[in-house]
Amino acid sequence: MDVVLSLRRILNRFKKTDFVEILKTWNFINIDDLYASIDFQRNTKTTIVSRITEICREKNIRPYHVAQLDLIYQQKNPNCKNWTVFKLSQTSDKNGKQETAEYSVLEDSLRQQLAVFFRHDLDSRPQGESLWFRLHIHGIGVQVSTSDVIYMVYHPHSSYIITSAIKVTYKDYVLQAVLTSLKCTQLKELQLRGKNLKSLADMTLYQQCQGSFSQYRLNQADCNPLGRKKTIKRKDSSPDALRSRLTYENLQDKKARICKTEETFGTSQQPTLERLTFQLKTRFRGQHHIPAMVGHHSPIHCTVKFEGHSVIEGIKHLGTCGLASLPLPSHLANVHSLAKNTISLAEKS
C-alpha cells in the first residue's frame, strides 16, 4: 500500500504537460496503452494520476520503480530542492591519482555502509557526467516522509558531492557512509548552498574558470570565420531592445563601465546564487561622513545580506549601471570564484 501512496505523491508533483515525457523516460508503462485510456489534453490532472496509479497497481509496481520515477522527476526539476556542497579530501593511490570506483561498485559499497546504521532503500541513476543517488531511510509509519528521502549528486573524478537537506538525526551516519564508500579521510561541508544545482556544480567543478575565463570553457573565445551575420533587422520590442534605443549623454563612460565589468565577470551568464552573506569584522572607515567616529579603531561586527533571483548577476549589473564604483573590491569581483555564499571579512593582520 505504501508503494502506491508514494507513487501517487510523486505523480501529483508533475505538471500536466510533463506526464508524457517523464513516463516515456521511465518506460515502466507502455505509452501507447496510456493514450488508449487517457486523454492528456482534456482529462484533469486528478483523473490522469488516478488512471496511471491503477495501471501501475495492476502491473504490480515495486519500490524500485517508484524510486526511479522520483529520480527522473528530480533530474528534470533539480531546483525544487535546497542543495549543500561537501568537499571530499583527496584520496590517492600510489601514483597520486584519485581513486574512483565504478557506478555499480560505488552503489553496492554505499548500500553496505548504510545498512550498518538503518534500514533503507538506495537507488541510483546516471545523468550526463554525474551519478544521482536516492536514499530512502525507513522511518516510523507507513507513508514515506519527504524528510526521510535524501538525494545525492556525485561527479566521478571530482572532490565534491552535493546533497539535499539531511535530517539532523541521520546526517552523521549518512556522511560517514559516504566517507567510507568513497575511501576518503575527511568530508567538509562548504559554505555553499542554494537551489540551482547546475550553478553550484559549476562553481565547484570549474572554480578557476569563472568570470572572464569562462569564455574559454564555453568556447566563446573565437568566432566562427565562416559565420555570416544577418543583414535584415527586424523590429524588436523587448525591454533590452527599447533600452538600446535610448540616447546616453555619457556614452563613453557607459562603454568604459561595461568594458571593465566584462574584464571581471566575462560576457556569459553568471552562476545563480539566491543568497550572499558577508560577515564583517572590520573597523569603521566612514569618518568623513560621521565625524563622531574619528578615533574609533575597534572592529565593528555586522552582517550584510544580498538576496534575489541571481545575486552575482545583480552585483555585475551594479557596475554597468553606475551604482557601484569600478573596479569593484576583490570580495565582490571574485565572488563567482570563491565557491561559497557566506564570506567573512576581517582586518589584515
Side-chain angles (χ1 to χ4, degrees), residues 191 203 265 273 275-282 300-307 311-312 314-316 318 328-346:
Q191 293 178 327
M203 292 182 70
F265 292 93
L273 283 182
R275 179 176 53 83
L276 188 62
T277 303
F278 289 96
Q279 297 176 348
L280 305 180
K281 301 176 183 178
T282 59
I300 296 177
H301 298 257
C302 66
T303 300
V304 179
K305 293 183 180 180
F306 295 86
E307 293 183 349
V311 174
I312 302 180
I315 293 175
K316 175 183 175 181
L318 287 177
L328 293 174
S330 58
H331 58 272
L332 290 177
N334 299 325
V335 69
H336 49 64
S337 302
L338 298 177
K340 59 174 66 176
N341 50 4
T342 300
I343 302 168
S344 297
L345 300 178

Side-chain angles (χ1 to χ4, degrees), residues 135-291:
L135 172 62
H136 169 216
I137 300 174
H138 292 219
I140 301 175
V142 177
Q143 295 188 12
V144 178
S145 173
T146 54
S147 61
D148 294 333
V149 179
I150 303 166
Y151 305 92
M152 296 178 284
V153 183
Y154 176 62
H155 292 78
H157 306 287
S158 74
S159 302
Y160 300 95
I161 186 169
I162 306 175
T163 72
S164 62
I166 306 176
K167 190 184 292 186
V168 177
T169 53
Y170 301 144
K171 189 172 183 178
D172 291 340
Y173 304 110
V174 173
L175 296 182
Q176 180 60 45
V178 172
L179 193 71
T180 306
S181 301
L182 294 176
K183 300 179 180 179
C184 299
T185 57
Q186 188 178 6
L187 189 63
K188 180 182 179 181
E189 181 176 352
L190 299 182
Q191 293 178 327
L192 181 60
R193 301 176 182 86
K195 287 183 173 293
N196 195 299
L197 179 63
K198 182 179 182 301
S199 293
L200 297 180
D202 285 346
M203 292 182 70
T204 51
L205 298 176
Y206 308 107
Q207 185 174 353
Q208 304 302 324
C209 300
Q210 300 294 336
S212 59
F213 295 102
S214 63
Q215 61 180 331
Y216 305 104
R217 174 169 58 90
L218 301 174
N219 295 325
Q220 297 174 343
D222 300 321
C223 60
N224 183 2
L226 301 179
R228 300 178 62 183
K229 296 183 179 179
K230 295 182 179 180
T231 56
I232 301 176
K233 294 183 178 180
R234 298 181 179 179
K235 187 175 181 180
D236 190 358
S237 59
S238 63
D240 292 336
L242 294 176
R243 194 179 298 114
S244 65
R245 300 174 192 171
L246 298 176
T247 300
Y248 292 91
E249 295 182 358
N250 52 350
L251 184 59
Q252 296 300 324
D253 292 342
K254 178 179 175 62
K255 290 181 178 180
R257 290 198 304 268
I258 293 176
C259 183
K260 288 183 180 180
T261 304
E262 289 181 350
E263 288 177 0
T264 303
F265 292 93
T267 57
S268 57
Q269 189 77 12
Q270 299 302 302
T272 301
L273 283 182
E274 298 83 12
R275 179 176 53 83
L276 188 62
T277 303
F278 289 96
Q279 297 176 348
L280 305 180
K281 301 176 183 178
T282 59
R283 61 183 177 85
F284 186 74
R285 288 179 168 79
Q287 288 86 352
H288 57 286
H289 294 293
I290 307 178

Side-chain angles (χ1 to χ4, degrees), residues 13-15 18 22 70-81 83 127 132 195 197:
R13 301 177 196 161
F14 288 17
K15 295 180 181 178
D18 293 339
I22 295 179
D70 190 19
L71 279 172
I72 294 171
Y73 173 80
Q74 294 298 335
Q75 289 176 349
K76 182 176 174 58
N77 303 277
N79 296 351
C80 63
K81 293 289 181 182
W83 301 95
Q127 183 190 40
W132 284 60
K195 287 183 173 293
L197 179 63

